[in-house]
Amino acid sequence: IKPIEAPRASAPKSRRIFLISIIVVLLAAIAGLFTFFATPRGKITALKANGETGRVIEIAGVTKNIPVERKSLWVAVDIPGRKLCWPKRPIHNRNQGFYTKFMEKGLSDIITVSLYAVDSAHNAEIEEWFDQIRAAGREPGMELLPDEFRLDVMEFNRKGVA
């Protein structure tokens, strides 16, 4: 005689849907955290109170998660309204803190400073631009770098400069 087997209790459909929903939410959270921690980031901090400056601009900052393909870091003065920028200083150590200062001879009362992480093609364009301005002895701006390369931007108010 064969023993009679009790029917298996299957999980209700709503429980399976709930478990699948929890798994999907957890996977989305993990993907979001990965994106947050893997996204290139940078922050500019002013060394003077209230973002005020003269002709010499002093900044510090930090970069994180800068990939090898965007290893060239630059600080530039931008004039977004004219779609021009003036690269000022390379930042040589990626994924750590930095400090730099540079002279800004422009006439604007508000100076927009951006931190960029560019690829090798855009880095070559910047280097070529520097070679051209050294040869010409004047500094026409270069085309504004693409927004996708901008890590941070800070505006400074120029004071006491004639």
Side-chain angles (χ1 to χ4, degrees):
I1 298 182
K2 271 187 170 179
I4 300 176
E5 292 184 19
R8 289 188 180 165
S10 64
K13 194 172 189 178
S14 62
R15 184 174 176 200
R16 278 186 271 161
I17 291 172
F18 175 75
L19 290 174
I20 290 171
S21 298
I22 293 294
I23 291 170
V24 168
V25 167
L26 287 173
L27 290 174
I30 290 169
L33 285 172
F34 176 77
T35 301
F36 175 76
F37 287 110
T39 300
R41 293 182 295 168
K43 183 71 179 154
I44 299 171
T45 56
L47 295 181
K48 293 189 177 186
N50 302 323
E52 291 183 345
T53 189
R55 291 223 181 267
V56 175
I57 298 175
E58 247 182 303
I59 61 171
V62 65
T63 61
K64 292 182 180 184
N65 305 325
I66 306 299
V68 173
E69 60 273 8
R70 287 178 53 189
K71 68 181 178 181
S72 299
L73 301 169
W74 284 90
V75 172
V77 171
D78 295 342
I79 300 184
R82 292 179 53 200
K83 297 184 180 177
L84 294 173
C85 73
W86 283 260
K88 295 295 183 175
R89 292 276 184 268
I91 304 298
H92 297 289
N93 300 317
R94 65 187 174 99
N95 298 324
Q96 56 187 304
F98 66 87
Y99 164 82
T100 190
K101 63 181 176 178
F102 56 88
M103 176 77 81
E104 174 51 37
K105 298 181 259 180
L107 301 175
S108 178
D109 289 337
I110 297 177
I111 300 164
T112 303
V113 177
S114 293
L115 174 63
Y116 291 98
V118 299
D119 59 20
S120 58
H122 285 86
N123 189 62
E125 286 179 27
I126 293 169
E127 295 290 346
E128 183 179 325
W129 178 80
F130 268 111
D131 290 344
Q132 290 172 356
I133 65 169
R134 282 186 202 112
R138 57 187 186 87
E139 292 187 41
M142 67 179 288
E143 184 179 325
L144 196 62
L145 294 165
D147 276 344
E148 69 215 46
F149 295 135
R150 186 179 293 116
L151 300 175
D152 196 20
V153 63
M154 178 175 269
E155 287 188 345
F156 291 86
N157 296 312
R158 191 179 319 242
K159 67 172 199 166
V161 178

